[in-house]
Amino acid sequence: MRSYKDHLLLRSSTIKEALSKLDVLAKDAILFIVDTSNKLIGSLTDGDVRRGLLRGITIDDSVAEIIQSNPKFIKKGEYNIEKIIEYRRNNYRILPVVDNENKVINVINFRILRSYLPVDAIVMAGGRGTRLQPLTNNTPKPLLKVGNKAIMEHNIDRLALYGIDDYWFSVKYLGEQIESFFGNGDDKNLSINYVWEDTPLGTIGAVSKINNFNHDYILLTNSDILTNLDYEQFYLDFIEKEADFSLVSIPYQVNIPYAVLEEGDDGCIKNFKEKPTYTYYSNGGIYLMKKSVLDYIPKDTFFNATDLMDKLIVEKKKVISYPLAGYWLDVGKHEDFKKAQEDINKIKF
Protein backbone atom coordinates (compact mmCIF):
# COMPACT_ATOMS: atom_id res chain seq x y z
CA MET A 1 0.00 0.00 0.00
CA ARG A 2 1.24 3.47 -0.90
CA SER A 3 2.13 5.70 2.06
CA TYR A 4 0.21 8.94 2.39
CA LYS A 5 3.61 10.66 2.59
CA ASP A 6 4.06 9.96 -1.12
CA HIS A 7 1.55 12.77 -1.68
CA LEU A 8 3.51 15.31 0.39
CA LEU A 9 6.11 17.75 -0.94
CA LEU A 10 8.02 20.49 0.83
CA ARG A 11 7.32 24.05 -0.24
CA SER A 12 11.04 24.56 -0.90
CA SER A 13 11.04 21.84 -3.59
CA THR A 14 11.48 22.59 -7.28
CA ILE A 15 8.89 22.00 -9.98
CA LYS A 16 11.19 19.33 -11.41
CA GLU A 17 11.03 17.44 -8.09
CA ALA A 18 7.24 17.82 -8.12
CA LEU A 19 7.01 16.40 -11.64
CA SER A 20 9.06 13.40 -10.59
CA LYS A 21 6.64 12.64 -7.72
CA LEU A 22 3.56 13.28 -9.86
CA ASP A 23 4.87 10.82 -12.44
CA VAL A 24 5.19 8.09 -9.79
CA LEU A 25 1.68 8.79 -8.46
CA ALA A 26 0.25 8.23 -11.98
CA LYS A 27 -3.58 8.35 -11.88
CA ASP A 28 -3.45 9.54 -8.26
CA ALA A 29 -1.32 12.51 -9.29
CA ILE A 30 -1.88 15.25 -6.75
CA LEU A 31 0.61 16.65 -4.25
CA PHE A 32 -0.03 18.49 -1.01
CA ILE A 33 2.55 21.13 -0.28
CA VAL A 34 3.71 21.38 3.33
CA ASP A 35 6.27 23.30 5.35
CA THR A 36 9.02 21.68 7.40
CA SER A 37 6.59 20.94 10.25
CA ASN A 38 4.13 19.23 7.83
CA LYS A 39 1.58 22.06 7.93
CA LEU A 40 -0.64 22.14 4.86
CA ILE A 41 0.11 25.10 2.56
CA GLY A 42 -1.45 24.14 -0.77
CA SER A 43 -1.94 21.55 -3.47
CA LEU A 44 -0.38 20.86 -6.86
CA THR A 45 -1.46 18.88 -9.92
CA ASP A 46 -0.13 18.29 -13.43
CA GLY A 47 -2.50 21.00 -14.61
CA ASP A 48 -0.96 23.55 -12.23
CA VAL A 49 2.52 22.70 -13.56
CA ARG A 50 1.35 22.98 -17.19
CA ARG A 51 -0.23 26.37 -16.60
CA GLY A 52 2.91 27.55 -14.81
CA LEU A 53 5.16 26.52 -17.70
CA LEU A 54 2.90 28.37 -20.11
CA ARG A 55 3.43 31.49 -17.99
CA GLY A 56 7.19 31.18 -18.34
CA ILE A 57 7.96 29.38 -15.04
CA THR A 58 10.83 26.88 -15.40
CA ILE A 59 11.14 23.44 -13.89
CA ASP A 60 13.97 24.71 -11.69
CA ASP A 61 11.71 27.29 -10.03
CA SER A 62 10.06 26.68 -6.66
CA VAL A 63 6.68 24.96 -6.46
CA ALA A 64 5.60 27.95 -4.35
CA GLU A 65 5.19 29.82 -7.65
CA ILE A 66 2.38 27.61 -8.91
CA ILE A 67 0.59 25.94 -5.97
CA GLN A 68 -3.14 26.24 -5.25
CA SER A 69 -3.27 27.92 -1.85
CA ASN A 70 -6.77 26.86 -0.70
CA PRO A 71 -6.98 23.08 -1.03
CA LYS A 72 -9.91 21.05 0.25
CA PHE A 73 -9.05 19.09 3.38
CA ILE A 74 -10.59 17.12 6.24
CA LYS A 75 -9.86 18.07 9.84
CA LYS A 76 -9.44 15.07 12.12
CA GLY A 77 -12.23 14.76 14.68
CA GLU A 78 -14.21 17.71 13.29
CA TYR A 79 -15.82 16.33 10.15
CA ASN A 80 -19.17 14.65 9.60
CA ILE A 81 -20.27 11.93 7.25
CA GLU A 82 -22.44 14.31 5.21
CA LYS A 83 -19.34 16.31 4.28
CA ILE A 84 -17.52 13.14 3.27
CA ILE A 85 -20.42 12.04 1.06
CA GLU A 86 -20.53 15.52 -0.50
CA TYR A 87 -16.81 15.41 -1.34
CA ARG A 88 -17.23 11.96 -2.84
CA ARG A 89 -20.23 12.96 -4.96
CA ASN A 90 -18.41 16.06 -6.21
CA ASN A 91 -15.51 13.86 -7.35
CA TYR A 92 -12.92 15.07 -4.85
CA ARG A 93 -11.05 11.80 -4.91
CA ILE A 94 -7.90 12.53 -2.90
CA LEU A 95 -7.95 14.71 0.22
CA PRO A 96 -5.47 15.43 2.99
CA VAL A 97 -6.42 14.90 6.63
CA VAL A 98 -5.02 17.49 9.05
CA ASP A 99 -4.85 17.73 12.84
CA ASN A 100 -5.72 20.73 15.01
CA GLU A 101 -2.46 22.41 13.99
CA ASN A 102 -3.19 21.89 10.27
CA LYS A 103 -0.43 19.29 10.02
CA VAL A 104 -1.09 16.58 7.44
CA ILE A 105 -1.50 13.24 9.20
CA ASN A 106 -3.07 11.20 6.40
CA VAL A 107 -4.27 11.35 2.80
CA ILE A 108 -7.44 9.56 1.82
CA ASN A 109 -8.20 8.29 -1.66
CA PHE A 110 -11.82 7.60 -2.61
CA ARG A 111 -10.64 5.59 -5.59
CA ILE A 112 -9.61 3.04 -2.97
CA LEU A 113 -11.75 3.87 0.09
CA ARG A 114 -15.54 3.68 0.21
CA SER A 115 -15.91 6.24 3.00
CA TYR A 116 -14.08 8.02 5.81
CA LEU A 117 -16.11 7.34 8.92
CA PRO A 118 -15.57 9.53 12.03
CA VAL A 119 -15.18 6.48 14.23
CA ASP A 120 -12.62 4.89 16.54
CA ALA A 121 -12.52 1.08 16.33
CA ILE A 122 -11.88 -1.31 19.22
CA VAL A 123 -11.09 -4.89 18.26
CA MET A 124 -11.42 -7.52 20.98
CA ALA A 125 -8.62 -10.04 20.40
CA GLY A 126 -7.72 -11.42 23.83
CA GLY A 127 -9.57 -14.75 23.94
CA ARG A 128 -7.89 -18.16 24.09
CA GLY A 129 -9.93 -19.76 21.29
CA THR A 130 -10.24 -23.02 23.21
CA ARG A 131 -12.89 -24.43 20.84
CA LEU A 132 -10.35 -24.27 18.01
CA GLN A 133 -7.62 -26.18 19.81
CA PRO A 134 -5.13 -27.54 18.87
CA LEU A 135 -4.93 -24.85 16.16
CA THR A 136 -4.77 -22.18 18.86
CA ASN A 137 -2.23 -23.89 21.12
CA ASN A 138 0.61 -21.78 19.72
CA THR A 139 -1.24 -19.25 17.55
CA PRO A 140 -3.89 -16.78 18.77
CA LYS A 141 -7.21 -17.34 17.04
CA PRO A 142 -7.22 -13.88 15.37
CA LEU A 143 -4.05 -14.84 13.48
CA LEU A 144 -5.31 -18.16 12.10
CA LYS A 145 -5.38 -17.87 8.34
CA VAL A 146 -8.56 -17.88 6.30
CA GLY A 147 -7.46 -18.05 2.68
CA ASN A 148 -4.23 -16.08 2.43
CA LYS A 149 -4.85 -13.71 5.35
CA ALA A 150 -5.33 -13.90 9.10
CA ILE A 151 -8.95 -13.74 10.29
CA MET A 152 -8.28 -10.46 12.07
CA GLU A 153 -6.55 -8.97 9.04
CA HIS A 154 -9.69 -9.59 6.97
CA ASN A 155 -11.55 -7.70 9.70
CA ILE A 156 -9.14 -4.75 9.80
CA ASP A 157 -8.94 -4.45 6.01
CA ARG A 158 -12.74 -4.30 5.81
CA LEU A 159 -12.90 -1.55 8.46
CA ALA A 160 -10.07 0.36 6.78
CA LEU A 161 -11.98 0.20 3.49
CA TYR A 162 -14.48 2.56 5.14
CA GLY A 163 -11.75 4.94 6.23
CA ILE A 164 -11.55 3.88 9.86
CA ASP A 165 -7.92 4.52 10.75
CA ASP A 166 -7.80 4.76 14.58
CA TYR A 167 -7.65 1.40 16.35
CA TRP A 168 -7.32 -0.09 19.80
CA PHE A 169 -6.65 -3.83 19.98
CA SER A 170 -7.58 -5.49 23.27
CA VAL A 171 -5.16 -8.39 23.70
CA LYS A 172 -4.19 -11.00 26.28
CA TYR A 173 -3.57 -14.62 25.15
CA LEU A 174 -0.46 -14.66 22.90
CA GLY A 175 -1.01 -10.96 22.41
CA GLU A 176 2.69 -10.43 21.65
CA GLN A 177 2.14 -12.26 18.35
CA ILE A 178 -0.75 -9.94 17.44
CA GLU A 179 1.32 -6.87 18.33
CA SER A 180 4.24 -8.17 16.27
CA PHE A 181 1.96 -8.95 13.30
CA PHE A 182 0.19 -5.56 13.08
CA GLY A 183 2.76 -3.26 14.71
CA ASN A 184 1.64 0.34 14.94
CA GLY A 185 -0.26 0.17 11.65
CA ASP A 186 2.11 2.33 9.58
CA ASP A 187 2.23 -0.12 6.67
CA LYS A 188 -1.57 0.22 6.29
CA ASN A 189 -1.69 3.99 7.03
CA LEU A 190 -3.43 3.20 10.33
CA SER A 191 -2.87 4.13 13.95
CA ILE A 192 -2.93 1.03 16.18
CA ASN A 193 -2.74 1.06 19.98
CA TYR A 194 -2.80 -1.96 22.29
CA VAL A 195 -4.79 -2.50 25.47
CA TRP A 196 -3.47 -5.35 27.60
CA GLU A 197 -5.86 -7.29 29.82
CA ASP A 198 -3.99 -8.50 32.91
CA THR A 199 -7.12 -10.42 33.85
CA PRO A 200 -10.09 -11.25 31.61
CA LEU A 201 -12.43 -8.24 31.40
CA GLY A 202 -15.26 -9.62 29.29
CA THR A 203 -16.35 -8.45 25.88
CA ILE A 204 -16.18 -4.72 26.63
CA GLY A 205 -14.54 -4.23 30.05
CA ALA A 206 -11.12 -3.44 28.57
CA VAL A 207 -12.57 -0.29 27.01
CA SER A 208 -12.45 1.33 30.46
CA LYS A 209 -8.66 1.49 30.03
CA ILE A 210 -8.89 3.84 27.02
CA ASN A 211 -9.24 7.58 27.55
CA ASN A 212 -7.84 9.15 24.38
CA PHE A 213 -10.35 8.47 21.62
CA ASN A 214 -10.23 10.75 18.59
CA HIS A 215 -13.94 10.69 17.73
CA ASP A 216 -17.34 10.89 19.38
CA TYR A 217 -18.41 7.51 17.99
CA ILE A 218 -16.93 4.13 18.88
CA LEU A 219 -17.20 0.89 16.95
CA LEU A 220 -16.42 -2.30 18.84
CA THR A 221 -16.07 -5.67 17.14
CA ASN A 222 -14.91 -9.17 17.92
CA SER A 223 -11.71 -10.04 16.05
CA ASP A 224 -12.88 -13.44 14.76
CA ILE A 225 -15.82 -12.31 12.60
CA LEU A 226 -15.91 -12.51 8.82
CA THR A 227 -18.46 -10.13 7.33
CA ASN A 228 -19.15 -7.94 4.32
CA LEU A 229 -21.12 -5.46 6.43
CA ASP A 230 -21.44 -2.00 4.87
CA TYR A 231 -20.07 0.06 7.76
CA GLU A 232 -21.18 3.36 6.22
CA GLN A 233 -24.81 2.22 6.10
CA PHE A 234 -24.50 0.92 9.67
CA TYR A 235 -23.21 4.34 10.74
CA LEU A 236 -25.85 6.28 8.76
CA ASP A 237 -28.63 4.19 10.31
CA PHE A 238 -27.21 4.96 13.76
CA ILE A 239 -27.15 8.71 13.07
CA GLU A 240 -30.55 8.82 11.37
CA LYS A 241 -32.23 7.06 14.31
CA GLU A 242 -30.37 9.22 16.87
CA ALA A 243 -29.29 6.10 18.72
CA ASP A 244 -27.01 5.85 21.72
CA PHE A 245 -26.04 2.24 21.02
CA SER A 246 -26.58 -0.10 18.09
CA LEU A 247 -25.70 -3.73 17.54
CA VAL A 248 -25.53 -5.67 14.31
CA SER A 249 -28.13 -8.42 14.51
CA ILE A 250 -28.03 -11.65 12.55
CA PRO A 251 -31.33 -13.13 11.30
CA TYR A 252 -32.02 -16.82 11.92
CA GLN A 253 -35.02 -18.62 10.50
CA VAL A 254 -36.63 -21.47 12.39
CA ASN A 255 -38.89 -23.79 10.36
CA ILE A 256 -41.60 -25.56 12.33
CA PRO A 257 -42.48 -28.88 10.63
CA TYR A 258 -46.02 -28.95 12.08
CA ALA A 259 -49.09 -26.73 12.26
CA VAL A 260 -48.83 -24.25 15.15
CA LEU A 261 -52.01 -23.61 17.12
CA GLU A 262 -53.02 -20.25 18.55
CA GLU A 263 -55.30 -20.39 21.58
CA GLY A 264 -57.39 -17.67 23.14
CA ASP A 265 -57.67 -16.94 26.85
CA ASP A 266 -60.61 -19.31 27.07
CA GLY A 267 -58.48 -22.23 25.82
CA CYS A 268 -60.27 -22.44 22.49
CA ILE A 269 -58.28 -22.63 19.29
CA LYS A 270 -58.56 -19.33 17.45
CA ASN A 271 -56.24 -19.99 14.56
CA PHE A 272 -53.44 -22.19 13.32
CA LYS A 273 -50.50 -21.77 10.96
CA GLU A 274 -49.36 -24.64 8.80
CA LYS A 275 -45.60 -25.26 9.09
CA PRO A 276 -44.69 -21.63 9.78
CA THR A 277 -41.25 -20.04 9.59
CA TYR A 278 -40.20 -17.66 12.35
CA THR A 279 -37.31 -15.21 12.10
CA TYR A 280 -35.27 -14.40 15.20
CA TYR A 281 -32.31 -12.06 15.53
CA SER A 282 -29.13 -12.76 17.48
CA ASN A 283 -26.20 -10.63 18.60
CA GLY A 284 -23.60 -10.29 15.83
CA GLY A 285 -20.74 -9.09 18.06
CA ILE A 286 -20.39 -5.71 16.27
CA TYR A 287 -21.48 -2.56 18.11
CA LEU A 288 -21.61 1.18 17.43
CA MET A 289 -22.04 3.66 20.26
CA LYS A 290 -21.68 7.23 21.34
CA LYS A 291 -18.49 7.81 23.28
CA SER A 292 -20.55 9.16 26.17
CA VAL A 293 -22.09 5.74 26.94
CA LEU A 294 -18.64 4.39 27.83
CA ASP A 295 -19.05 6.18 31.18
CA TYR A 296 -21.35 3.30 32.17
CA ILE A 297 -18.50 0.77 31.94
CA PRO A 298 -16.90 0.14 35.37
CA LYS A 299 -13.12 0.46 35.62
CA ASP A 300 -11.02 -2.73 35.41
CA THR A 301 -14.03 -4.98 35.98
CA PHE A 302 -15.28 -8.01 34.07
CA PHE A 303 -18.07 -6.54 31.97
CA ASN A 304 -19.78 -7.70 28.80
CA ALA A 305 -21.35 -5.69 25.99
CA THR A 306 -24.71 -7.18 26.98
CA ASP A 307 -24.20 -5.80 30.51
CA LEU A 308 -23.74 -2.36 28.99
CA MET A 309 -26.89 -2.76 26.92
CA ASP A 310 -28.84 -3.73 30.05
CA LYS A 311 -27.58 -0.61 31.83
CA LEU A 312 -28.44 1.64 28.90
CA ILE A 313 -31.95 0.21 28.64
CA VAL A 314 -32.52 0.82 32.37
CA GLU A 315 -31.27 4.39 31.89
CA LYS A 316 -33.75 4.78 29.00
CA LYS A 317 -31.02 5.32 26.42
CA LYS A 318 -31.85 4.50 22.82
CA VAL A 319 -30.55 0.99 22.08
CA ILE A 320 -31.31 -0.29 18.58
CA SER A 321 -30.35 -3.14 16.26
CA TYR A 322 -29.16 -3.11 12.68
CA PRO A 323 -30.30 -6.33 10.92
CA LEU A 324 -27.54 -7.53 8.62
CA ALA A 325 -28.60 -8.42 5.10
CA GLY A 326 -25.14 -9.60 4.05
CA TYR A 327 -22.60 -12.23 5.05
CA TRP A 328 -21.55 -12.94 8.65
CA LEU A 329 -19.63 -15.79 10.22
CA ASP A 330 -18.29 -16.15 13.75
CA VAL A 331 -15.17 -18.30 13.33
CA GLY A 332 -15.42 -19.96 16.73
CA LYS A 333 -15.48 -23.70 16.07
CA HIS A 334 -13.72 -26.14 13.74
CA GLU A 335 -16.78 -26.40 11.48
CA ASP A 336 -16.92 -22.59 11.26
CA PHE A 337 -13.23 -22.45 10.40
CA LYS A 338 -13.78 -25.00 7.63
CA LYS A 339 -16.77 -23.03 6.29
CA ALA A 340 -14.69 -19.83 6.32
CA GLN A 341 -12.07 -21.50 4.11
CA GLU A 342 -14.80 -22.41 1.63
CA ASP A 343 -16.61 -19.06 1.72
CA ILE A 344 -13.54 -16.85 1.41
CA ASN A 345 -13.35 -17.57 -2.32
CA LYS A 346 -17.06 -16.84 -2.88
CA ILE A 347 -17.72 -13.72 -0.81
CA LYS A 348 -16.26 -10.31 -1.67
CA PHE A 349 -14.88 -8.84 1.54
Side-chain angles (χ1 to χ4, degrees):
M1 177 179 287
R2 176 178 288 144
S3 169
Y4 78 90
K5 295 177 182 177
D6 293 339
H7 285 277
L8 304 186
L9 185 70
L10 284 172
R11 183 178 185 175
S12 58
S13 302
T14 65
I15 294 173
K16 183 177 181 179
E17 290 171 314
L19 283 170
S20 178
K21 293 201 76 168
L22 288 168
D23 183 58
V24 171
L25 290 170
K27 56 187 173 184
D28 295 327
I30 184 170
L31 295 172
F32 299 105
I33 311 304
V34 296
D35 64 14
T36 53
S37 64
N38 251 27
K39 282 189 178 180
L40 181 65
I41 295 171
S43 64
L44 183 69
T45 65
D46 282 314
D48 297 319
V49 174
R50 186 167 58 251
R51 285 184 288 272
L53 294 175
L54 288 172
R55 287 193 290 113
I57 302 294
T58 73
I59 61 173
D60 294 319
D61 286 326
S62 168
V63 293
E65 300 287 338
I66 59 171
I67 63 173
Q68 298 293 323
S69 58
N70 293 300
K72 299 286 186 184
F73 63 87
I74 296 168
K75 180 156 282 191
K76 188 76 169 181
E78 295 184 8
Y79 61 95
N80 57 48
I81 190 61
E82 289 80 12
K83 193 68 176 176
I84 296 301
I85 293 172
E86 180 186 339
Y87 280 145
R88 204 170 58 205
R89 285 175 178 167
N90 290 331
N91 207 30
Y92 289 102
R93 292 189 301 109
I94 303 175
L95 293 161
V97 181
V98 302
D99 62 13
N100 289 331
E101 297 179 337
N102 279 348
K103 294 180 180 179
V104 179
I105 56 174
N106 203 352
V107 173
I108 61 172
N109 185 342
F110 288 128
R111 189 177 61 79
I112 299 170
L113 301 184
R114 297 184 181 178
S115 188
Y116 192 62
L117 297 179
V119 166
D120 290 279
I122 304 166
V123 183
M124 307 303 290
R128 294 186 64 88
T130 52
R131 291 179 297 169
L132 277 170
Q133 288 178 334
L135 298 177
T136 54
N137 285 348
N138 300 302
T139 302
K141 180 168 66 169
L143 294 189
L144 293 178
K145 280 196 171 185
V146 172
N148 61 355
K149 288 199 292 192
I151 299 171
M152 187 169 168
E153 190 174 15
H154 284 292
N155 228 320
I156 301 307
D157 287 350
R158 181 74 183 180
L159 290 164
L161 187 62
Y162 289 87
I164 298 174
D165 52 15
D166 294 300
Y167 293 85
W168 279 260
F169 293 171
S170 177
V171 293
K172 188 178 189 304
Y173 176 68
L174 300 179
E176 297 86 357
Q177 291 187 33
I178 295 173
E179 188 170 15
S180 175
F181 185 91
F182 287 100
N184 62 8
D186 274 355
D187 60 334
K188 292 180 179 287
N189 289 331
L190 308 176
S191 170
I192 298 175
N193 299 278
Y194 295 85
V195 181
W196 286 86
E197 296 186 46
D198 299 322
T199 58
L201 294 175
T203 57
I204 204 171
V207 178
S208 68
K209 292 175 172 284
I210 308 170
N211 55 19
N212 56 337
F213 290 113
N214 292 298
H215 302 284
D216 291 328
Y217 301 98
I218 311 299
L219 186 143
L220 184 143
T221 180
N222 294 338
S223 62
D224 52 358
I225 293 171
L226 280 180
T227 181
N228 61 2
L229 169 66
D230 185 323
Y231 286 98
E232 183 177 85
Q233 290 304 313
F234 182 33
Y235 178 84
L236 288 172
D237 181 75
F238 181 91
I239 297 299
E240 180 185 344
K241 293 177 179 175
E242 298 180 339
D244 294 296
F245 187 103
S246 179
L247 75 150
V248 172
S249 56
I250 311 303
Y252 283 101
Q253 290 188 336
V254 177
N255 299 311
I256 308 298
Y258 310 105
V260 174
L261 308 180
E262 294 182 0
E263 293 184 349
D265 294 336
D266 57 1
C268 295
I269 295 174
K270 303 295 184 184
N271 193 12
F272 70 90
K273 296 179 180 178
E274 187 67 39
K275 299 179 180 179
T277 297
Y278 296 100
T279 300
Y280 298 93
Y281 292 88
S282 64
N283 186 347
I286 305 172
Y287 314 93
L288 184 61
M289 64 203 82
K290 290 180 179 176
K291 183 170 66 174
S292 57
V293 308
L294 302 182
D295 293 339
Y296 291 94
I297 301 175
K299 292 285 186 183
D300 295 323
T301 302
F302 188 94
F303 200 73
N304 286 323
T306 48
D307 298 324
L308 177 59
M309 284 190 280
D310 286 339
K311 270 196 173 187
L312 296 177
I313 292 168
V314 169
E315 293 292 329
K316 302 193 183 307
K317 299 294 183 180
K318 192 167 185 180
V319 178
I320 67 172
S321 75
Y322 180 80
L324 178 65
Y327 179 89
W328 179 93
L329 180 66
D330 174 9
V331 188
K333 300 175 291 186
H334 283 280
E335 52 264 42
D336 301 322
F337 188 64
K338 180 181 178 182
K339 178 173 171 56
Q341 305 295 348
E342 296 168 352
D343 290 351
I344 198 65
N345 297 315
K346 307 173 189 174
I347 309 297
K348 188 173 182 180
F349 294 100

